[in-house]
C-alpha cells in the first residue's frame, strides 16, 4: 500500500497543475472583457469644472457622460444648457452639435456617432444664460 501512496500523490499533483493551467488560460482568454476602457477627462473655466467620460472610445455610436460642477455656489434658476460636438480636425469630420440630456444635478449625457478612428476633439458647450463657455477635450478613438 505504501508504494501506491506516492503514485496517488503524483496524480493529485498533476491534476492540480492541469487545473491551474486551465484556469490561467481561461483568465487570459477572457481578460479583454474584464478591462475597463473608459476615459475620463476634466477641464474647466472660471465658472465651472467639467468632466467628460466616454465608456468605450471606439468608432461608431458612443455615449458621453458629462458632469458640470459650478466653482461657486449656484444662485438658483434652471440648470445650464450643455451641448456636445465631436470634431476630427485632421480629416475635416465633425458631428452636428447635440444637446446633452439633463440627468440630475450637474449630470448630463449625449450620444454621438464617431465615423472613424483618430484623434477627435470633444467640444462641450455650457451656457447658464449669463455666460457661455466652450471646452475642448482631446479623445483618441480606436477602431
Amino acid at each position: 500500500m505504501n508504494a501506491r501512496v506516492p503514485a496517488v500523490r503524483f496524480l493529485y499533483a498533476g491534476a492540480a497543475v492541469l487545473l491551474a493551467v486551465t484556469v490561467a488560460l481561461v483568465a487570459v482568454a477572457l481578460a479583454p472583457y474584464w478591462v475597463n476602457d473608459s476615459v475620463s477627462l476634466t477641464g474647466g473655466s472660471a465658472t465651472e469644472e467639467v468632466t467628460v467620460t466616454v465608456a468605450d472610445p471606439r468608432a461608431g455610436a458612443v455615449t458621453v457622460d458629462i458632469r458640470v460642477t459650478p466653482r461657486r455656489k449656484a444662485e438658483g434658476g434652471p440648470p445650464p444648457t450643455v451641448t456636445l460636438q465631436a470634431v476630427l480636425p485632421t480629416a475635416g469630420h465633425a458631428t452636428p452639435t447635440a444637446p446633452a440630456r439633463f440627468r440630475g444635478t450637474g449630470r448630463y449625457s449625449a450620444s454621438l456617432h464617431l465615423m472613424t478612428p483618430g484623434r477627435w476633439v470633444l467640444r462641450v458647450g455650457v451656457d447658464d444664460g449669463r455666460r457661455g463657455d466652450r471646452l475642448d477635450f482631446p479623445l483618441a478613438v480606436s477602431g
Side-chain angles (χ1 to χ4, degrees), residues 34-88:
W34 295 334
V35 175
N36 182 0
D37 288 336
S38 68
V39 173
S40 289
L41 304 164
T42 301
S45 67
T47 56
E48 67 263 334
E49 179 178 287
V50 177
T51 300
V52 175
T53 302
V54 181
D56 191 19
R58 300 192 190 287
V62 174
T63 300
V64 179
D65 294 319
I66 304 165
R67 182 148 190 87
V68 178
T69 306
R71 294 199 187 268
R72 288 183 227 112
K73 184 176 179 181
E75 298 175 10
T81 302
V82 176
T83 58
L84 179 67
Q85 180 184 31
V87 178
L88 183 61

Side-chain angles (χ1 to χ4, degrees), residues 53-143:
T53 302
V54 181
D56 191 19
R58 300 192 190 287
V62 174
T63 300
V64 179
D65 294 319
I66 304 165
R67 182 148 190 87
V68 178
T69 306
R71 294 199 187 268
R72 288 183 227 112
K73 184 176 179 181
E75 298 175 10
T81 302
V82 176
T83 58
L84 179 67
Q85 180 184 31
V87 178
L88 183 61
T90 57
H93 296 312
T95 65
T97 302
R101 292 177 298 285
F102 182 68
R103 299 290 186 194
T105 307
R107 295 181 301 118
Y108 299 82
S109 69
S111 296
L112 298 172
H113 182 80
L114 304 177
M115 296 143 265
T116 182
R119 295 183 182 272
W120 288 82
V121 175
L122 297 180
R123 290 193 170 153
V124 177
V126 180
D127 187 351
D128 65 2
R130 296 176 309 234
R131 176 186 169 120
D133 288 315
R134 188 186 88 190
L135 298 112
D136 291 349
F137 298 92
L139 179 68
V141 174
S142 63

